[in-house]
Amino acid sequence: MGYRYVFGPVFSGRIGRSLGLDLLGRRICSMDCVYCEVGKTDLLSSERDVYVPAADILEELEKWKQEGHQPPEVITLGGLGEPTLNAEMPEIIRGIKKLFPSMPVAVLTNATTMTDPEVRKELLEADVVLPSMDSLVASEFRAINRPCKGTDPTAIAKALIEFRKEFNGKIFLEVLLSRGYNDSDENLSLMKDFCAELAPDRIDVVTLSRPGTLDKAGPVNSETLGRWKKVLDAAPCKDRDCGPETGAKKRSGVETLAHVQGEDSHAFDRIQASIMRRPQTAQQLSGALEIPLDKVNQVLVELEKSGRLHVRQTGNDIYYDCRLDGES
């Protein structure tokens, strides 16, 4: 069957082979980050609503389970927008745990909604929360994240610290650096103090390795990245899906796996759903979805013929993403 809300799995250096759930169904977010790999936000909003009913998402997840796929290492709430905006997030987390009792649930979030005590309470049911915090300098925060009006990075930082006091799971903090946007010494100093107080289980300092929303948003150099990693005591890059030489690319040999023989009828839908949410190379798609590389390339050719495939090159690597229905 084709899926609207279940996608992947994709490989993540932070959490492993992750099956994604899209809680918004389209690009609805409280930010419009210049580096966002899923593209420009269509609806900039901080309002919580039932954008996709929990029942619809869990029905798809149950069908995915019944199809007998190899289990992922984690199920992650993310997708095209900010998942905590979905007011039925608690029902979704509980439904996942009922279907997969031993499976950890992770939530990717920009943390803007965590200033709401109710959201923090809901997130206590997750096993891993992966917030991002790119700058504590207000002007930089507005420039790189382009949030809803009135969003305050200091308030978000305080909310994360409050959440840390209550949460029994793991917190993996990500800081993404873009040249000229948030790589200032002032931000580094503020982030150092914040990380010391938050004491997350893991800190990942990364820079752009995939195409973002704006072409002018570029990566920082290796010297800057290394300095930030050292100051913030970040996780080593080899443990993070931080570039084209890590993660799924190394696993491209799975195209020889025998158990993919029954996947042909679903390959188109699965590949399309995955690259709608995250630009990937053909090798990464093959490794994460366990679909033979030649089959992945066939699907990419068909998507290109439809006019929906967007091809972008970063260094020596070619990334593919797929436009939503109706996009030109």
Side-chain angles (χ1 to χ4, degrees), residues 123-271:
L123 285 171
L124 294 176
E125 299 191 46
D127 299 290
V128 187
V129 173
L130 299 96
S132 61
M133 175 59 73
D134 299 325
S135 183
L136 286 167
V137 180
S139 58
E140 293 182 1
F141 175 78
R142 290 192 298 269
I144 190 168
N145 297 129
R146 300 188 296 183
C148 290
K149 186 177 180 180
T151 308
D152 177 24
T154 302
I156 296 170
K158 289 179 179 177
L160 278 166
I161 290 166
E162 285 301 309
F163 180 69
R164 168 80 287 181
K165 296 174 183 177
E166 303 173 310
F167 186 49
N168 293 322
K170 294 184 181 297
I171 295 178
F172 294 168
L173 180 72
E174 180 174 271
V175 181
L176 189 145
L177 298 175
S178 182
R179 183 181 62 251
Y181 278 95
N182 65 329
D183 54 349
S184 68
D185 289 340
E186 180 184 6
N187 187 31
L188 178 56
S189 177
L190 292 171
M191 290 295 298
K192 178 182 178 182
D193 293 342
F194 166 64
C195 289
E197 188 172 2
L198 179 65
D201 297 274
R202 179 184 176 110
I203 302 171
D204 290 270
V205 180
V206 300
T207 192
L208 283 80
S209 62
R210 295 181 175 88
T213 304
L214 296 183
D215 290 338
K216 68 178 182 178
V220 297
N221 59 37
S222 58
E223 180 182 355
T224 299
L225 188 63
R227 181 163 62 93
W228 275 69
K229 283 176 174 286
K230 183 176 181 180
V231 170
L232 299 186
D233 192 24
C237 189
K238 65 183 177 64
D239 291 332
R240 170 70 169 87
D241 181 16
C242 59
E245 297 305 320
T246 64
K249 177 174 282 191
K250 293 183 178 179
R251 309 179 191 228
S252 60
V254 298
E255 60 262 26
T256 59
L257 291 175
H259 70 266
V260 301
Q261 292 177 354
E263 292 284 297
D264 283 4
S265 61
H266 301 315
F268 186 95
D269 290 333
R270 295 179 65 210
I271 291 169

